[in-house]
Amino acid sequence: MAEQRDVQRLDDAAVEPRLARLDAALGQLEQTPGRTAELALEAVEMLTEVYGEALARVTDLAADSTRTLDRLAGDELLRHLLLLHHIHPDPVDRRVARAVDDLRPQLRAQGAEIALVGVQDEVATISLSASSCGGGGAALRDLVREQVLTFAPELSEVDVVAPAPAPALIPVASLWQRPERTGAAPVPEVAQAAGPLASGGTA
């Protein structure tokens, strides 16, 4: 059997600039007049469609293995392609939760805490408590929105809110205190005003 030649692999750091260059090149093609540019764009579209179908078949073959699907969805490049072709196996709420989990260590290093409140009607609500104020807090909110939309681009909005205030706690000691009681029942104000005649006495 013939030996397979070594194929150069690309890590995530090498993939990112290539994707950026691809987007730029496609943008230039779209602005270039002429049949040659049209043919180039058509070729890219057909190639993307074919590769998307191939990737969909891979996810179909891996459907019986949760571990394999998780590894496919966890790879940065594959996640990008799965989202591009609308074949990501995870529902939107799970992807948003993963985006929040990935952000948590970075935000904690900056003194902030993040939590997923919920996803409803294409809107993700994220709780963010940031110790920094002004521009720092705004930058963190923008970071959260960008990260969540990267994992779930079909969302119409990412609402970053402050955490809900904690409910007021009743001191435990107060639960064991009995209300003060006097020996005699209080006298109605009307009776006090009437004086002894109200109780049958004589003046």
Side-chain angles (χ1 to χ4, degrees):
M1 186 173 66
E3 294 183 359
Q4 292 184 344
R5 62 185 180 88
D6 293 335
V7 178
Q8 183 180 3
R9 303 292 299 274
L10 300 175
D11 58 15
D12 291 341
V15 167
E16 186 174 351
R18 284 168 169 78
L19 291 176
R21 176 56 187 157
L22 176 59
D23 287 339
L26 290 175
Q28 291 177 356
L29 275 176
E30 290 176 348
Q31 297 176 3
T32 302
R35 183 56 181 162
T36 301
E38 293 176 359
L39 287 174
L41 287 173
E42 185 179 351
V44 171
E45 290 176 359
M46 287 190 295
L47 185 62
T48 301
E49 185 178 358
V50 171
Y51 274 93
E53 173 59 25
L55 188 57
R57 295 186 184 190
V58 170
T59 58
D60 288 344
L61 292 173
D64 295 333
S65 173
T66 303
R67 181 172 178 271
T68 301
L69 280 178
D70 287 343
R71 293 183 65 184
L72 289 173
D75 183 274
E76 186 173 352
L77 175 58
L78 288 176
R79 184 185 72 244
H80 174 81
L81 294 176
L82 290 169
L83 291 172
L84 176 66
H85 295 285
H86 307 287
I87 54 176
H88 199 289
D90 291 341
V92 61
D93 54 344
R94 184 176 179 183
R95 284 183 274 128
V96 173
R98 179 172 292 181
V100 169
D101 290 341
D102 286 356
L103 270 177
R104 187 169 287 113
Q106 178 182 352
L107 293 178
R108 280 182 175 171
Q110 302 183 53
E113 288 292 337
I114 187 174
L116 172 60
V117 178
V119 180
Q120 186 175 8
D121 298 331
E122 297 184 353
V123 176
T125 304
I126 310 295
S127 168
L128 177 66
S129 61
S131 58
S132 57
C133 301
L140 291 182
R141 290 192 293 271
D142 290 342
L143 174 64
V144 170
R145 291 189 182 96
E146 180 180 354
Q147 174 80 349
V148 171
L149 288 175
T150 298
F151 277 71
E154 68 268 43
L155 290 175
S156 61
E157 184 180 354
V158 178
D159 191 12
V160 183
V161 300
L169 298 178
I170 302 175
V172 176
S174 67
L175 300 177
W176 299 98
Q177 294 179 355
R178 294 182 177 179
E180 295 182 1
R181 301 180 62 183
T182 60
V187 179
E189 294 182 0
V190 175
Q192 291 178 356
L197 294 179
S199 57
T202 59

